[in-house]
Amino acid sequence: MKGPLGEQGYCVISNYFNEYDLALFPEVSRSLIGSEESKDILLKFPFLSKPLFDPKVISIVRDYLGPKAVLDYASGRRFLSSGSKSDEWHHDSVGHRIKIFMCITDQDDTTHTEIVPSSHRIKYSNYRDSKMALEDVKAVGKIIKVIGKKNDLIIFDTNLLHKGVYSQVPREIVQFEFTDIRKSMMRGHVGMRMCSFHKSITDSPLVAAKYLKNSGDSVHFA
């Protein structure tokens, strides 16, 4: 486990997009209202695919997961205090993968992500048993708040102990997940959410084009 994630299991890249792209964020935000999960967010807004072509992000993903790491899915999410399944302490029950939260709006003390740095190194006897009680989490290490700001990328290992904190202040993100394709094939996770993308993403080294099906200007996992 090398690169920026190796030590603590997470990192933050701030001020990611330029002013021109940032001006489109309110439109992205409006598109998330009323939708539990926008599975075609990268089709509607192709500029959000920037991390898939960014040498810095590519390096973080591949230094950590290895040269076979690829995009597993991407979607837009708008979280509120009701209905979320991620407000308990957990890991994602899939071992070491990388998740990116692209913050579309500012988060605050009432809506953010809490983590335990370095807990990504824990090995579990049963990865399906992913929930953990607060007292057990505190025994692992110090809990910190990761309060994302608009235009931040929060990058972390899905094996890191984490939880969402929600309120009536929406937490609006575009999320990406990357994995070693060999492990994904064994678990059946490649494209599990049937996301759609603009066809330009097939030029990314982090995209396994052979698993995508063309449909005009869009592609989706076959």
Side-chain angles (χ1 to χ4, degrees), residues 37 39 70-75 97 176-197 201 206-213 219-222:
E37 184 173 18
K39 299 178 183 179
V70 293
L71 176 71
D72 193 34
Y73 73 87
S75 65
R97 299 189 181 197
F176 300 76
E177 187 165 301
F178 302 90
T179 188
D180 181 314
I181 196 167
R182 293 164 299 179
K183 297 176 183 176
S184 286
M185 289 173 68
M186 287 189 290
R187 296 291 297 276
H189 277 224
V190 172
M192 64 176 179
R193 303 194 183 195
M194 295 302 294
C195 304
S196 298
F197 315 95
I201 74 158
L206 289 175
V207 172
K210 65 182 179 180
Y211 292 106
L212 291 167
K213 183 177 180 181
V219 293
H220 60 272
F221 284 107

Side-chain angles (χ1 to χ4, degrees), residues 32-73:
L32 297 176
I33 295 175
S35 174
E36 180 180 346
E37 184 173 18
S38 179
K39 299 178 183 179
D40 60 353
I41 195 73
L42 299 191
L43 178 60
K44 293 176 180 175
F45 303 99
F47 81 95
L48 295 174
S49 299
K50 177 182 175 180
L52 301 178
F53 299 90
D54 182 350
K56 182 174 183 178
V57 173
I58 293 170
S59 177
I60 289 172
V61 170
R62 294 204 156 163
D63 284 351
Y64 193 72
L65 294 178
K68 299 290 187 180
V70 293
L71 176 71
D72 193 34
Y73 73 87

Side-chain angles (χ1 to χ4, degrees), residues 9-217:
Y10 82 103
C11 66
V12 178
I13 301 176
S14 299
N15 301 313
Y16 188 67
F17 286 99
N18 61 34
E19 291 184 5
Y20 175 81
D21 288 335
L22 201 56
L24 298 174
F25 270 37
E27 188 177 349
V28 176
S29 178
R30 287 191 293 271
S31 78
L32 297 176
I33 295 175
S35 174
E36 180 180 346
E37 184 173 18
S38 179
K39 299 178 183 179
D40 60 353
I41 195 73
L42 299 191
L43 178 60
K44 293 176 180 175
F45 303 99
F47 81 95
L48 295 174
S49 299
K50 177 182 175 180
L52 301 178
F53 299 90
D54 182 350
K56 182 174 183 178
V57 173
I58 293 170
S59 177
I60 289 172
V61 170
R62 294 204 156 163
D63 284 351
Y64 193 72
L65 294 178
K68 299 290 187 180
V70 293
L71 176 71
D72 193 34
Y73 73 87
S75 65
R77 302 294 301 270
R78 187 176 192 266
F79 296 92
L80 288 168
S81 58
S82 59
S84 174
K85 298 178 181 179
S86 60
D87 60 355
E88 299 179 68
W89 281 103
H90 66 284
H91 58 82
D92 283 4
S93 74
V94 290
H96 299 293
R97 299 189 181 197
I98 287 179
K99 188 168 280 186
I100 297 178
F101 288 165
M102 178 186 289
C103 301
I104 302 302
T105 52
D106 285 335
Q107 300 172 13
D108 62 19
D109 199 57
T110 69
T111 177
H112 56 269
T113 303
E114 293 185 352
I115 66 170
V116 179
S118 301
S119 59
H120 62 305
R121 301 181 180 212
I122 299 174
K123 295 181 179 180
Y124 300 96
S125 57
N126 180 6
Y127 278 85
R128 294 298 186 185
D129 186 14
S130 62
K131 305 292 190 199
M132 187 173 289
L134 178 58
E135 57 268 24
D136 295 327
V137 172
K138 289 180 176 179
V140 170
K142 182 180 180 181
I143 296 169
I144 69 167
K145 299 177 182 179
V146 182
I147 301 177
K149 296 300 179 183
K150 180 180 178 180
N151 205 19
D152 282 355
L153 296 185
I154 301 171
I155 306 174
F156 64 99
D157 181 343
T158 59
N159 202 52
L160 194 75
L161 288 172
H162 60 284
K163 64 169 287 189
V165 176
Y166 306 105
S167 70
Q168 288 305 309
V169 177
R171 182 163 73 104
E172 297 178 345
I173 62 170
V174 175
Q175 60 182 8
F176 300 76
E177 187 165 301
F178 302 90
T179 188
D180 181 314
I181 196 167
R182 293 164 299 179
K183 297 176 183 176
S184 286
M185 289 173 68
M186 287 189 290
R187 296 291 297 276
H189 277 224
V190 172
M192 64 176 179
R193 303 194 183 195
M194 295 302 294
C195 304
S196 298
F197 315 95
H198 189 270
K199 65 181 181 181
S200 61
I201 74 158
T202 58
D203 293 327
S204 165
L206 289 175
V207 172
K210 65 182 179 180
Y211 292 106
L212 291 167
K213 183 177 180 181
N214 290 305
S215 179
D217 285 337

